[in-house]
Amino acid sequence: MTNINSTALFRSLIVYAVCVPLAIMVGWTLTNPLDYQSLGFIGVLVAILIFPLLMRWHYPLLVFSWGAPVSVFFLPGRPDLFIPVVAVSLTISVVERILNREKHFVPATAVRLPLLALLAVVVFTAEMTGGFGLKSMGSSVYGGKKYATLILGILSFFALTAHPIPKKHANFYITLFFAGPFLNLVGDLYPLIPSPLQFIFMVLPMSDRGMDEMGNIQVELGVTRMFGIATAASAVYYWMLARHGIRDIFLSGKPWRPLVLGISFVLIFLGGFRSALIGALILFGMIFYLEKMHRTAIMLAFVLFGFMGGALLVPMAAHLPYTFQRSLAWLPLDITPAARMDAEGSTQWRLNMWQSLLPEIPKYLLLGKGYSFSAKTFSDSMGRNATFKSIDAAEDPWALSSDFHSGPLSVVISFGIWGVLAWLWYWAAGFWVVWRNYHYGDPAIRHLNMFLFASFVSKCFAFLFIFGGIVDDVGGFAGIIGLSVALNHGVMRPKPKPKASPAPANARFAIPVRPAFQR
């Protein structure tokens, strides 16, 4: 008993010896005005204290951070949680691999090679067009945050495929993957959160939808475009399709499943984003086809429901809430002029910018434009207090910051023909991986492999024809392909067919025991 008490006392003394000086230092730091130096110091201390937890849980945290709107407010530039978690998780995985030769990254050479080629193109372009300057670090050259997001999006595939996901935990990890985007819901709840609790918006930033020029929040359900609620609803919608599939949602005899899917689909309309609605419909249609539901009786039910819904939608479209009308503006419906003008104005703005940028493509074929721009360009044409507004769509602040709202333009203008080749290589390798895992994967996780394959194809379509950007989408594709590799422990191959045993040499002359024909 004495030895046990002495050991416990010794551990307590060590804890006090570490925690008391740290508490004094943190208290002294908090008495001074908070700046990046003091916040960074506190962040380092927090990282040291939670490092044992990171060693154990860094991989689930990595999967959760995909799409999570968590802001690491104490770091310069307030990056999303995804960026530091990728760096930490990949570092831990590499160190574990060095210390333990028995641990290996999941084999996925077919995807890693094009990603390394894309990384080389990004680094070379950055070095040749101004470097990796960061405004938050006081640099005179801006644009480094896009480079950091893009590079860590590339590295996220390596971090995600550092560990295989056990088959028994597959559904847990797919839930984690969509739990992060679900937190966007908090950003739209700003008017409902009491003042003492509004500090949470330092970590979960509030949505700027409904905010006027004076910074006041004015939210009206059905009128204000609620990005957070729509994103959270999309996360629930996609999780239902991934976790259960269409067959188990509608034919399982559990009425809550189609109810949850239907409610989440309706809530997507609150965002007023046409791309979100089109993407949800494309993914549903692909899974419906892959599950061969069109060969079942439920196909007739969906056809009848579609005709009835269309018959009701035509006369009622103009009476729907504003965000619903804007989401449906891509259909030939009679909606209010305000919703039609808003949607068409957004489309026309994109078309004007793309039309102005097309003649510049040859100039950036051999060496891309990159993301760097000067502080003067930012103050003159891009910031809130910009002193110069160009009438040329190619000089739009979004275009100057390389936010072209077009996937193909974001690749070819930013990184030239070399970026296009590396990106197409990445797509081809990714398609090969998700297709093989869907066809030859374990039947126990077939629903997940089917969802990942359908997600990859629908995301490629959206990138080309609806909305996309290489900075954010390289990590989005890495998440889909990386999950497929980690869940299947690599790239699946068709099972070899069993070889038929050779017939005996005298088989053709064997005399049957019984006559071939009997009465």
Side-chain angles (χ1 to χ4, degrees):
M1 183 67 67
T2 303
N3 292 336
I4 297 176
N5 290 337
S6 300
T7 303
L9 179 61
F10 182 69
R11 290 177 179 175
S12 300
L13 289 175
I14 292 178
V15 171
Y16 281 113
V18 173
C19 293
V20 171
L22 285 178
I24 294 174
M25 294 177 67
V26 171
W28 175 79
T29 303
L30 293 176
T31 59
N32 298 321
L34 289 178
D35 53 13
Y36 281 127
Q37 183 177 359
S38 57
L39 287 175
F41 174 73
I42 295 174
V44 170
L45 291 181
V46 172
I48 293 174
L49 294 175
I50 67 173
F51 186 74
L53 294 177
L54 287 177
M55 288 288 294
R56 176 66 180 84
W57 300 105
H58 69 93
Y59 191 76
L61 181 60
L62 171 70
V63 177
F64 171 79
S65 68
W66 236 280
V70 179
S71 174
V72 188
F73 61 91
F74 53 83
L75 292 181
R78 301 172 63 91
D80 291 335
L81 179 66
F82 173 76
I83 293 179
V85 166
V86 168
V88 172
S89 179
L90 183 58
T91 301
I92 293 175
S93 298
V94 171
V95 172
E96 287 178 344
R97 172 66 179 85
I98 294 174
L99 298 179
N100 187 355
R101 293 298 180 91
E102 295 182 358
K103 290 190 175 182
H104 298 278
F105 281 48
V106 182
T109 307
V111 181
R112 292 191 179 115
L113 290 178
L115 281 176
L116 290 175
L118 182 60
L119 179 62
V121 172
V122 171
V123 174
F124 177 79
T125 303
E127 290 293 337
M128 297 297 293
T129 57
F132 298 90
L134 285 167
K135 177 187 175 185
S136 58
M137 301 298 291
S139 174
S140 60
V141 177
Y142 299 169
K145 186 175 182 178
K146 279 188 169 60
Y147 281 123
T149 304
L150 178 56
I151 291 174
L152 286 167
I154 294 173
L155 297 179
S156 65
F157 177 83
F158 296 83
L160 191 56
T161 56
H163 302 273
I165 297 176
K167 301 292 177 62
K168 61 181 179 180
H169 297 152
N171 290 325
F172 168 73
Y173 275 94
I174 205 68
T175 302
L176 270 184
F177 189 74
F178 290 111
F182 183 78
L183 292 180
N184 282 280
L185 175 70
V186 179
D188 282 343
L189 300 181
Y190 181 82
L192 304 178
I193 301 297
S195 299
L197 297 178
Q198 290 186 356
F199 67 89
I200 65 175
F201 293 105
M202 295 180 63
V203 180
L204 298 171
M206 63 179 180
S207 175
D208 59 357
R209 302 288 176 178
M211 181 181 296
D212 57 20
E213 296 181 355
M214 302 300 295
N216 300 318
I217 303 294
Q218 298 177 354
V219 177
E220 185 178 352
L221 188 64
V223 177
T224 304
R225 297 176 62 187
M226 297 182 175
F227 170 80
I229 293 178
T231 304
S234 297
V236 175
Y237 178 84
Y238 292 139
W239 174 78
M240 289 292 296
L241 293 178
R243 179 66 180 81
H244 302 289
I246 295 176
R247 184 180 298 273
D248 284 345
I249 289 177
F250 291 97
L251 301 179
S252 63
K254 299 180 180 180
W256 68 267
R257 290 183 180 178
L259 181 63
V260 171
L261 186 74
I263 292 176
S264 60
F265 179 75
V266 171
L267 290 178
I268 294 175
F269 285 83
L270 293 179
F273 296 99
R274 292 163 291 176
S275 57
L277 178 61
I278 296 173
L281 292 173
I282 291 176
L283 185 61
F284 185 92
M286 284 200 62
I287 296 178
F288 191 91
Y289 174 77
L290 292 174
E291 289 189 352
K292 297 181 173 55
M293 297 297 292
H294 57 287
R295 298 180 181 177
T296 64
I298 199 174
M299 179 65 180
L300 178 61
F302 272 96
V303 171
L304 293 176
F305 180 80
F307 277 117
M308 293 174 59
L312 292 174
L313 188 61
V314 171
M316 294 181 59
H319 303 284
L320 293 174
Y322 172 79
T323 56
F324 283 61
Q325 295 185 46
R326 196 184 189 283
S327 299
L328 296 169
W330 55 282
L331 295 174
L333 298 173
D334 183 18
I335 61 177
T336 59
R340 178 68 67 185
M341 290 178 61
D342 186 13
E344 290 181 352
S346 175
T347 301
Q348 191 60 44
W349 168 74
R350 287 175 171 82
L351 293 176
N352 290 339
M353 180 169 60
W354 298 343
Q355 187 176 6
S356 299
L357 290 170
L358 285 177
E360 297 189 11
I361 291 178
K363 181 170 61 174
Y364 296 115
L365 277 180
L366 294 180
L367 178 63
K369 177 183 178 182
Y371 298 132
S372 302
F373 54 90
S374 65
K376 185 177 185 303
T377 301
F378 178 82
S379 61
D380 290 348
S381 305
M382 300 172 62
R384 290 187 176 182
N385 300 320
T387 57
F388 174 74
K389 300 292 184 181
S390 174
I391 60 174
D392 186 1
E395 299 296 323
D396 184 276
W398 291 97
L400 292 174
S401 62
S402 300
D403 287 324
F404 306 121
H405 288 64
S406 167
L409 288 180
S410 71
V411 179
V412 66
I413 292 182
S414 299
F415 301 107
I417 188 63
W418 315 113
V420 172
L421 294 176
W423 186 258
L424 293 177
W425 186 12
Y426 176 40
W427 266 10
F431 180 85
W432 180 76
V433 168
V434 296
W435 185 84
R436 290 182 73 94
N437 287 341
Y438 160 60
H439 277 275
Y440 308 122
D442 190 340
I445 58 171
R446 181 174 174 79
H447 59 293
L448 298 181
N449 283 325
M450 181 183 297
F451 173 82
L452 294 173
F453 173 72
S455 295
F456 181 87
V457 175
S458 62
K459 193 171 181 63
C460 289
F461 178 84
F463 185 89
L464 290 172
F465 303 109
I466 301 177
F467 180 84
I470 186 175
V471 173
D472 295 322
D473 284 331
V474 68
F477 282 107
I480 295 173
I481 306 169
L483 271 180
S484 180
V485 171
L487 288 170
N488 293 274
H489 302 179
V491 183
M492 302 302 294
R493 300 176 181 273
K495 295 181 180 180
K497 297 180 180 180
K499 295 181 179 180
S501 56
N506 58 349
R508 67 179 65 183
F509 303 105
I511 301 174
V513 178
R514 310 174 66 181
F517 300 98
Q518 293 182 352
R519 295 181 181 178

